Amino acid sequence: METIVLGTILGTWASFIVSLVAKQLVAWPFVVAFIVTLAFGQSKRSKSSSWLFYLTVLGWGTFLVKLFSQMLVIRPDGIWAGGSNVWGDWAGHMGYIANWLYGSNWPPQNPWYAGIRLSYPFLFDFTSAILVKLGLSVPWSLQLPGIIFGLAIVVLLFRLAEKITQSAVAASIAVSIFMLSGGLGFLWINQGLKELTHSYEHNIQWVNFIISEMVPQRGILIGLAAALAVFLLWIEPKPRRYLVSGVVAGLIPFFHAHTFLMLSFVSGCLFLFKPKRIWWYFFIPAAVLALPQFAYFLPQISGGTSGFMHWQLGWAAHVQHDNWVWFWVKNIGLMTILIPLFLIQAYFKNRRLFWLYQPFLLIFVACNLWIFQPWENDNSKLLRFWYLASSILVGWGLARFAKSGWRQKGVAAIALVLITFSGAYDAGSWLDFDKNKLLLWSQSDIQLGEQIKQLTPLTAVFLTNDNHNHWVVDLAGRKIVLGFRGWLWSWGINYSQREADVRKMFTGDIQTLQLLNQYGIDYVIIGPGEKSNFDANEKYYLTHYPLLLDRGGQKIFDVHRQIDGR
């Protein structure tokens, strides 16, 4: 699995660099780099012959195939998402993919905020664009990587936990705890909660990993798999393994920046705990490769919205004015007792595990003192690594306790059920497509997208409504001036001036012509959304600009020239 992870990272980077030079999507470097990595990679196979390993992989593999295969479904009436978080997040990912496939986005601009660089970890979406170029359908370009890297997380986590704990039972428990993360939401199951791991009313914010991050957010799939591969490489202190781990870490920021931040912090702590020269084989390549990527991200972080990062005690406990302890008890349940209990035991019985856990405990503390992005929920991208380490710790503790006798086995089994019930309930509920499906794009949207691809230049910029799943971006691969404002804020973009200008252009303000030229706008769409959200003045555009297309209640105006010839 490590070679698949490394091959995907190297292949995507190779294709991206060649495409950047060629100013068009080029897929063959991915194929070459991936095949070479598989051919020459010397990743050792797991020595585990435990039936638990095969049962765990088979069980989770079956679940992941069923889950991901229904996350983006094409039907006669449109394209449907298999869950609310997919409906929300995959529209954004589709926009990046479509702009590489159907538009011309070199160097990459933010398709939801035309004119600025794409300062978002986008390379896993570029991987999907490559897969489409190689012949995969668009839905499967998102779904297949989900299956492969979801299974990679299961396999690599099992192997890592087994190596640290010397127990296949502990490894299997760790996988279950991590994948089925949840808390005490089941206590309110009779109150009509749709999700037991997410409730604003009860301030349950630790949403199950599968439905909150693994499926919808995409980047953490390859980020977490890469982190697990790095951890496995660190176990054997050999220069070549640390060098490879440094390359993997150094290439990951454009896929998932939080993974690199976590690896940097954890490696630094482990170095301070026990300084060894071998760590420099990791630090040097990781720093050399990652620093240019963070230099690319820096202008948006430093020059965007105020308070991109800020002090906030208790993470999300303030939402319902909870005290910290009760907040975490509700959100992770029995883990609040078992983590400190087994950490104390580890100090006496497994000192290696005790010290390996310390950097992740510090991550937990930091995320309860500091918000690292404008949206506080994004702290979960770092907290997820703390919970991964906690899963291994608690897996070790429960497996050790269960060895004492049948009664202890029963108690350990009950504890595991209590830890995972809420998460299992939520993850399992996503298997019901008909219950969870939401329409992403109608058949009319699809037809409009096809027409716009034929009628407009690849680099065209549109003035539109700001809905998160706008077909111009997602289906036609064109850029828009002002996309979904919730995303823009979470990315640290100060869009207030542009928002004001968009309102002026839609209403036909005296500055409209100047602003259209200023933002490089080629086409203006006026439909129900534009009229409702921006008071769009359809009459102004009908009298000033030629109509390119009128379909599905949406009028598209060509603003290159006015009707009077000016």
Side-chain angles (χ1 to χ4, degrees), residues 85 89 207-217 384 430:
N85 292 340
D89 284 19
V207 189
N208 172 255
F209 169 65
I210 293 171
I211 70 170
S212 70
E213 292 171 352
M214 188 184 81
V215 176
Q217 295 189 21
R384 200 59 68 178
W430 270 41

Side-chain angles (χ1 to χ4, degrees), residues 99-210:
N99 264 255
W100 284 309
L101 290 173
Y102 314 129
S104 178
N105 200 16
W106 305 102
Q109 290 184 32
N110 191 325
W112 304 97
Y113 200 75
I116 71 164
R117 65 174 64 179
L118 179 54
S119 295
Y120 175 89
F122 56 79
L123 273 189
F124 203 41
D125 290 320
F126 189 71
T127 306
S128 292
I130 293 169
L131 294 177
V132 176
K133 187 77 170 180
L134 292 173
L136 215 58
S137 69
V138 172
W140 276 102
S141 76
L142 289 99
Q143 293 173 158
L144 183 61
I147 295 170
I148 293 172
F149 283 88
L151 192 58
I153 289 171
V154 170
V155 171
L156 296 175
L157 176 54
F158 190 103
R159 289 180 53 200
L160 178 67
E162 187 178 29
K163 284 180 177 292
I164 292 174
T165 65
Q166 298 300 305
S167 168
V169 175
S172 183
I173 294 172
V175 171
S176 296
I177 291 174
F178 180 72
M179 297 289 282
L180 301 177
S181 58
L184 298 183
F186 60 83
L187 295 177
W188 295 278
I189 193 171
N190 291 326
Q191 296 186 16
L193 291 185
K194 183 178 179 181
E195 294 175 345
L196 301 186
T197 61
H198 190 203
S199 169
Y200 178 84
E201 179 184 357
H202 300 289
N203 203 16
I204 298 175
Q205 306 285 350
W206 187 242
V207 189
N208 172 255
F209 169 65
I210 293 171

Side-chain angles (χ1 to χ4, degrees), residues 152-154 156-157 160 223-233 388 392:
I153 289 171
V154 170
L156 296 175
L157 176 54
L160 178 67
L224 187 54
L228 289 166
V230 167
F231 294 152
L232 284 164
L233 287 166
L388 183 145
I392 296 175

